[in-house]
Amino acid sequence: MSDTSHEPATAQADTTPGGPPGGLRRFATARSRSLLGALFLMATSAIGPGFITQTATFTQELGAAFAFGILVSILLDLAVQMNVWRMITLTGKRASVLANEALRGSGYVLAVLIVFGGLIFNIGNTAGAGLGLNALFGLDPRLGGAISAAIAIAIFLAKRAGAVVDRVVIVAGLVMIVLTVIVAILSGPPVGEALRQTVLPDTVDFATITTIVGGTVGGYITYAGAHKLLDSGTAGPEHIREVDRAAVSGILVTGVMRYVLFLAILGVVASGVVLDVTGNPAGDAFGAAAGEAGLRIFGAVFWIAAITSVIGSAYTSVSFLPVFSARITGRTADLWTVGFILVSLAVYLLIGTAPATLLVFVGGVNGLILPIGLTLFMYIGWFRGSLLGSVRYPRWLLVVGTLATVVTWYMAVNAVGPIFDLLSA
């Protein structure tokens, strides 16, 4: 992104002893905004239209037992994000570059997978934006998708695109949380039963868990916040504590949001309402909870989730491309991002798959990609520690990350068939 990498350096130049106090304040503000921007970029990417649709679909199918899938996704988030964010910011190198240094050629493979998965995800995000504007204003979903893509493109064409992205994702994320809490209160969910099945589920479905994990931490989402931190100048061992805090805070924010959304939909399902999982199940749930106002709230939440995910998916996917050409940086990267959004929109307008089905499917695909990248990072942590500098890497973190890698591989192998069956459903 074209501007955030310059702001911190400029501000820091003014913080030398005797320098103007205004420079120190600007530096602190820029640093805080960049950390919050990375946190919310990851959080809003993890709570996109795919996750909202998946939550409604799987809550209809599994009821309160789906809470276990949310718990697993949060635990895997912690294991994945703390390892990936730490390794990337310690080295100051993007994931594909670091992977290439650890295992020649692996960075190119990872980049291709992330860009492919990000493109599929972004097609789903564009579809979600169309569904959101349809519920909010009654627009045709395809027109809504085109309008949303145009807004995202305008953000990346802005002179200070990085700063604009930071502000957009922070404000949008907060609004989305408040609106969903309102619907959760109105729906009156069986909280006690949900808490019990969070740890003692009646049903465990690997395809469901893989899909939800893929939609919340799979594919590009794993690297979104870390790459954003690099662009803001937050790299090196001196920043590791604030990076850890940002990663954990982001996961806590997404965890609370996921559970609140689940409770909002569970309250509707528990009351006997049957959601149309082939249409717009989340919209059905919000409408049943709060009538016409609920449908409008759904439209706003869904659109915010979609537009921020379009931004996150496009930005992060393009951030992997410099491994192929060092010229894809700064303003050139912004233009590639615009092209990425346009391709996503064109494919969405051409395909015939129902948006809700597509949104569930893309989460599954990214759940299949997740263990590949995670395996590379665990290899770096265990066998190529010299790449991480002189700082001693926590062994417990590697153990947790390795367990998460084994779990994601096991779920991916067991879920391949059911996930691809979605397209023919």
Side-chain angles (χ1 to χ4, degrees), residues 59 87 118 211 217 246 282 284 316 377 383 401 404-405:
T59 302
M87 289 187 194
T211 298
V217 72
D284 291 348
T316 310
F377 274 82
F383 304 108
T405 304

Side-chain angles (χ1 to χ4, degrees), residues 6-219:
H6 303 303
E7 280 189 14
T10 302
Q12 198 162 11
D14 295 331
T15 62
T16 52
L24 181 61
R25 285 194 297 271
R26 285 196 299 274
F27 173 71
T29 300
R31 175 68 66 200
S32 298
R33 192 192 67 222
S34 68
L35 288 171
L36 279 174
L39 184 160
F40 274 92
L41 184 69
M42 182 268 284
T44 53
S45 294
I47 310 170
F51 177 79
I52 295 174
T53 302
Q54 292 159 13
T55 298
T57 300
F58 297 139
T59 302
Q60 174 66 59
E61 294 176 1
L62 301 175
F66 180 57
F68 178 72
I70 294 177
L71 175 63
V72 171
S73 74
I74 293 171
L75 294 176
L76 288 174
D77 272 7
L78 281 167
V80 172
Q81 300 286 33
M82 289 195 70
N83 273 292
V84 171
W85 283 38
R86 177 180 282 259
M87 289 187 194
I88 287 176
T89 53
L90 268 178
T91 61
K93 297 171 183 174
R94 298 187 186 219
S96 51
V97 174
L98 183 57
N100 259 353
E101 291 186 2
L103 189 64
R104 184 174 298 179
S106 64
Y108 300 121
V109 175
L110 181 62
V112 169
L113 289 173
I114 294 301
V115 173
F116 170 72
L119 181 61
I120 296 177
F121 221 120
N122 219 38
I123 295 166
N125 292 335
T126 307
L131 285 178
L133 291 184
N134 173 260
L136 193 57
F137 300 118
L139 295 178
D140 179 275
R142 296 190 174 210
L143 176 60
I147 292 173
S148 302
I151 292 173
I153 287 171
I155 290 172
F156 282 103
L157 289 178
K159 185 176 181 181
R160 302 178 62 202
V164 174
V165 168
D166 285 338
R167 293 187 175 96
V168 167
V169 296
I170 291 170
V171 173
L174 293 173
V175 171
M176 187 164 57
I177 290 172
V178 170
L179 292 177
T180 308
V181 167
I182 292 171
V183 176
I185 293 171
L186 293 174
S187 74
V191 177
E193 178 66 8
L195 291 175
R196 180 186 73 81
Q197 296 217 46
T198 300
V199 293
L200 294 172
D202 291 342
T203 305
V204 177
D205 188 311
F206 285 114
T208 295
I209 296 175
T210 302
T211 298
I212 206 70
V213 168
T216 54
V217 72

Side-chain angles (χ1 to χ4, degrees), residues 322-380:
V323 74
F324 298 107
S325 173
R327 290 182 292 181
I328 306 179
T329 57
R331 203 59 181 160
T332 301
D334 291 340
L335 296 177
W336 273 84
T337 307
V338 169
F340 188 89
I341 295 171
L342 288 173
V343 171
S344 304
L345 174 63
V347 175
Y348 163 59
L349 295 177
L350 290 172
I351 63 175
T353 306
T357 302
L358 181 64
L359 288 170
V360 175
F361 171 74
V362 294
V365 170
N366 279 278
L368 301 179
I369 293 173
L370 171 63
I372 298 173
L374 194 50
T375 299
L376 281 171
F377 274 82
M378 290 303 97
Y379 170 76
I380 292 169

